[in-house]
Amino acid sequence: MQVLYDVLLPGPWWHPLTYSGNGKDFPEKGCRVRVPIGRTERTGIVTDAREVKGEVCDKQQFSCRSILYAVDEAPAVTEEILQTLFLAGKHFLCGPGELLKSAFPSPFFDGKEAPNAPRMSPEETRTYSVAFIRDAKDSDRFRSYLEILGKDDHGGFVIFPERNRAALFWENLPDKLKERAILWPAGNGKRAWESWIRVLKGQRNIVIGSMGCLFAPLTCIRNVIVEDEGNPVYYSRRYPYIHARSVLTYRARYWKAKLVLGGAMPSSRSFLFRKEKCTARTGGRLIFADKSEAREFEVRGVRRPLPVTDAVLTRTQEAAAGHGVVMWLLDRIGYASGIWCRECESILTCPKCGTATRWETRESTAVCPFCGNRGKLPEECPNCGGAFMEGIKPGIEASVDLAANLLGNKALVHEWHKAVTKEKSSRNKMLKKLEVSGGIVTGTRKALELCDDIPVALVCWLDIDTELLKPSYDVKYRAFRMIWESLWRGMEPENRKVILQTKKTGTAWQKKLGKGWHEFWESELAERKELDLPPWKFLVEINTKSRIKNEMLSILESEGFECLDPDPKSGLFWVRTEKTETLRKAVEPFFSVSRSKEGFPRMRVCID
Ligand SMILES: [Zn+2]
Ligand SMILES: [Zn+2]
């Protein structure tokens, strides 16, 4: 008799690797072990230990090397976390091993000493339930969350799309909750490790955080609260692409907890599950301004003017006169999007990757939006040597001068977007100035986060039409929720007005803003059903080498999957499927450790 161990290791293959025992250590499921792999060694987690007769190992030609040693004497990982890793790895088609690095703080894999995981299982008598909290105002929803958390002293999760919002919620916790809560730190290093240990030891049992806290080792979870559950930020930006709401749903199910889906507006999936009605109305707070009647302001060095309507100009002046805060928003960062030569009309592209560059005013740089490469804006055209390089469309930085002229004071105009240095001190300084004298904040949608810190009297979207041109199946939703957020987010939303500058006033889509989000979702879901789009079916993006793509395409098509391959020369394609399970079975052979030399495809599952 000998013991075989299945060991889950950080890596892109989908299955655990099998090792034999070393005769000295007998680690259980959930223990860390050190194992050899290739010419190196790594730390993994035992997911199964079984006794077999000696010859089986050789017969089945397992990669049967022996474990080096056991790191833990007792499990450091709970049964539930292991199960959640496997579920998420399956559903999001990335494999559990790929999730390990984001699921555990890095000292975990350095073999740092960890406390024993409690052996808890959910109470038989409990049942899993789902509740929705849809108050339009953040403060109303947050009050409900506090009530829910205060009702029992067992484990709870509250997750926010942004860490700032999690921190704000944490700061306002009543003392009784705060003493058993933890604000999950950003990053994956020492501080995350300390938090991980405190939660595993049961010293803290309410976890408040953003994407980084999904696998916090809580046990006996009773409440899982997902704030702003439809926010696309819950798709992880980096591979592996999981969705936070789904992962927390698995955890809530396991513990038979109450899953609370909150947010001023539901996700498509939640709306499909329960046809809620929106009770919030915009009243007279939402104003459409016809862009074709706008004044066209020349922007130095940019071909197209910046159109600003009288509605924006006069209401901005009115608000500023009362020391109010106004936002001018445009989701085009930089001074101009696109730079071209007026003589030969060639577009300035990134020298590294060939993407069209944008112009940022700081040091007159040409910035690549794709790879981030920065170069000096050339004085002469690299193509024809002509001396007239100009911007094509004005970006948000181009509105700064106009804003300053309008208020007659440059000190009243602030910028808030990705290109601005984001130190906390500069943010606080800006907020102080705004609090005292009001002014205009020019920025991208990111600027809306300032509504959490300061009452904003007026939000002006300078070009809402471009939001609807982005090449994604859910653009209409993204634009709708962004406007909804502009109307309701943060402090004193009832006193805020929102102006949308658009060339197409009175479209069906815009009218739904006045009637509430259920009207929007009803028609949007009907359209998506026609096209077999999420949430009706899963849309899966697959990115791989061309050769592997062709291999995958032929297998998937022969099995009857509907594949979309818009660019046969690239390694990218899409598959629509009713269940990710069936797709997973079809592509599983591509994710075996034996294919390490060929490389592994990356898949992204769109669920909403
Ligand atoms: Zn030229
Ligand atoms: Zn580039």
Side-chain angles (χ1 to χ4, degrees):
M1 284 295 226
Q2 67 161 325
V3 186
L4 289 186
Y5 296 96
D6 284 343
V7 179
L8 182 60
L9 290 164
W13 49 91
W14 283 3
H15 50 86
L17 301 184
T18 304
Y19 290 88
S20 61
N22 62 3
K24 293 184 298 232
D25 300 322
F26 299 94
E28 290 173 63
K29 184 176 182 181
C31 287
R32 287 173 294 172
V33 285
R34 196 77 179 156
V35 294
I37 177 159
R39 280 181 211 159
T40 68
E41 48 182 76
R42 280 191 206 175
T43 302
I45 305 167
V46 175
T47 59
D48 190 38
R50 57 187 182 277
E51 288 185 355
V52 287
K53 283 184 188 154
E55 70 271 21
V56 175
C57 190
D58 305 324
K59 254 189 207 158
Q60 296 191 349
Q61 292 180 328
F62 283 115
S63 58
C64 231
R65 296 165 81 181
S66 148
I67 60 167
L68 299 171
Y69 57 89
V71 178
D72 301 308
E73 281 174 10
V77 182
T78 61
E79 171 75 31
E80 179 253 327
I81 294 276
L82 281 179
Q83 195 172 312
T84 302
L85 284 167
F86 277 95
L87 279 173
K90 273 183 181 170
H91 187 70
F92 289 97
L93 304 169
C94 57
E98 197 68 82
L99 288 167
L100 290 179
K101 278 197 179 137
S102 45
F104 295 93
S106 54
F108 180 88
F109 291 106
D110 301 338
K112 288 265 157 52
E113 196 182 329
N116 298 344
R119 294 172 201 260
M120 308 290 270
S121 45
E123 288 167 43
E124 289 292 327
T125 51
R126 295 188 56 82
T127 45
Y128 164 72
S129 66
V130 185
F132 298 91
I133 294 182
R134 294 288 175 227
D135 303 281
K137 282 175 70 174
D138 300 346
S139 50
D140 292 340
R141 287 197 309 282
F142 294 179
R143 204 172 310 123
S144 305
Y145 300 163
L146 291 179
E147 255 169 51
I148 291 168
L149 291 173
K151 268 187 198 150
D152 68 59
D153 47 13
H154 288 83
F157 251 115
V158 193
I159 186 171
F160 292 83
E162 298 150 28
R163 203 171 171 283
N164 280 344
R165 306 204 90 190
L168 203 65
F169 184 78
W170 190 79
E171 276 161 28
N172 292 315
L173 280 179
D175 290 343
K176 253 192 98 183
L177 288 175
K178 206 176 214 168
E179 62 197 22
R180 60 190 186 92
I182 192 163
L183 176 64
W184 201 259
N188 209 13
K190 195 165 160 264
R191 288 186 53 226
W193 178 240
E194 285 163 9
S195 306
W196 192 84
I197 287 177
R198 288 173 85 185
V199 171
L200 193 61
K201 281 183 173 169
Q203 293 166 347
R204 288 287 186 275
N205 73 353
I206 297 176
V207 172
I208 293 165
S210 50
M211 288 298 279
C213 74
L214 300 182
F215 292 92
L218 268 181
T219 51
C220 295
I221 302 171
R222 286 281 172 83
N223 296 298
V224 174
I225 300 172
V226 184
E227 157 60 5
D228 201 3
E229 50 104 2
N231 196 320
V233 167
Y234 282 135
Y235 285 106
S236 40
R237 274 215 325 271
R238 275 175 311 183
Y239 191 74
Y241 306 119
I242 50 173
H243 194 285
R245 190 187 64 226
S246 300
V247 173
L248 289 181
T249 303
Y250 307 145
R251 301 201 63 181
R253 276 218 186 99
Y254 181 95
W255 292 106
K256 302 180 179 181
K258 177 177 182 168
L259 174 69
V260 178
L261 298 175
M265 172 175 186
S267 62
S268 68
R269 193 158 285 274
S270 298
F271 187 77
L272 190 62
F273 177 79
R274 170 121 25 111
K275 296 273 166 66
E276 301 168 87
K277 274 230 157 67
C278 170
T279 51
R281 290 293 177 272
T282 55
R285 298 200 290 119
L286 183 63
I287 299 153
F288 292 94
D290 190 347
K291 220 173 86 186
S292 54
E293 288 168 12
R295 292 165 195 247
E296 302 205 316
F297 291 92
E298 289 292 322
V299 178
R300 188 181 45 83
V302 179
R303 183 174 190 84
R304 300 225 201 127
L306 180 71
V308 184
T309 54
D310 285 347
V312 167
L313 295 171
T314 53
R315 282 177 190 269
T316 297
Q317 277 179 320
E318 278 167 26
H323 301 298
V325 176
V326 179
M327 279 183 184
W328 282 12
L329 304 181
L330 180 63
D331 254 355
R332 274 201 299 273
I333 47 179
Y335 182 69
S337 66
I339 304 164
W340 75 346
C341 165
R342 235 161 68 185
E343 283 172 26
C344 73
E345 300 195 344
S346 68
I347 286 173
L348 187 68
T349 54
C350 168
K352 277 198 182 147
C353 73
T355 310
T357 52
R358 69 166 177 264
W359 175 1
E360 287 187 5
T361 41
R362 248 185 324 155
E363 303 143 24
S364 277
T365 34
V367 181
C368 170
F370 186 73
C371 73
N373 184 55
R374 309 176 77 89
K376 213 174 153 32
L377 195 69
E379 279 167 24
E380 288 172 2
C381 168
N383 187 41
C384 73
F388 299 100
M389 297 298 288
E390 65 177 4
I392 301 173
K393 254 185 159 180
I396 187 63
E397 286 179 21
S399 70
V400 173
D401 287 345
L402 175 61
N405 286 340
L406 185 69
L407 302 188
N409 184 354
K410 205 162 185 198
L412 292 176
V413 179
H414 309 269
E415 291 183 74
W416 199 250
H417 45 77
K418 263 201 290 188
V420 180
T421 37
K422 278 182 280 185
E423 286 152 44
K424 212 173 176 183
S425 61
S426 62
R427 179 196 168 104
N428 290 343
K429 254 186 229 160
M430 174 177 70
L431 286 169
K432 277 233 172 70
K433 283 186 195 163
L434 286 168
E435 215 170 308
V436 175
S437 39
I440 302 180
V441 179
T442 65
T444 54
R445 71 176 69 192
K446 184 180 157 39
L448 287 174
E449 70 186 28
L450 300 174
C451 293
D452 295 343
D453 301 291
I454 195 164
V456 173
L458 179 66
V459 174
C460 306
W461 280 96
L462 298 183
D463 186 0
I464 202 69
D465 301 336
T466 54
E467 299 304 320
L468 294 161
L469 292 175
K470 291 174 183 168
S472 164
Y473 72 91
D474 60 352
V475 276
K476 271 190 276 177
Y477 166 63
R478 283 172 188 254
F480 192 102
R481 59 155 275 122
M482 203 173 63
I483 298 165
W484 205 253
E485 185 179 340
S486 312
L487 283 159
W488 295 106
R489 180 166 180 171
M491 296 170 76
E492 300 173 23
E494 61 278 6
N495 300 328
R496 186 184 310 149
K497 290 212 161 55
V498 176
I499 303 181
L500 306 180
Q501 290 202 143
T502 170
K503 274 204 172 125
K504 304 163 204 148
T505 49
T507 62
W509 179 85
Q510 291 167 6
K511 282 183 188 145
K512 297 199 171 77
L513 278 162
K515 292 178 183 161
W517 42 253
H518 59 284
E519 294 260 348
F520 166 78
W521 272 134
E522 288 290 355
S523 66
E524 175 74 5
L525 283 182
E527 252 174 60
R528 290 198 197 173
K529 190 171 191 178
E530 288 286 300
L531 301 167
D532 277 341
L533 286 168
W536 301 99
K537 282 194 178 176
F538 295 105
L539 184 65
V540 182
E541 179 196 278
I542 304 178
N543 199 350
T544 181
K545 295 173 189 158
S546 313
R547 191 176 47 77
I548 298 178
K549 167 174 153 179
N550 292 335
E551 232 180 298
M552 287 180 107
L553 271 173
S554 71
I555 290 176
L556 291 174
E557 276 165 356
S558 74
E559 291 195 20
F561 283 95
E562 191 189 348
C563 302
L564 312 157
D565 182 16
D567 180 5
K569 269 180 273 167
S570 85
L572 200 65
F573 70 106
W574 282 268
V575 184
R576 275 194 281 238
T577 180
E578 220 149 303
K579 287 186 182 148
T580 54
E581 177 73 15
T582 52
L583 179 60
R584 185 178 66 80
K585 284 195 179 132
V587 298
E588 203 161 24
F590 292 90
F591 293 90
S592 158
V593 68
S594 61
R595 287 184 63 102
S596 295
K597 277 211 182 85
E598 275 110 309
F600 297 91
R602 289 188 163 189
M603 304 172 68
R604 184 199 302 268
V605 182
C606 301
I607 61 172
D608 279 340

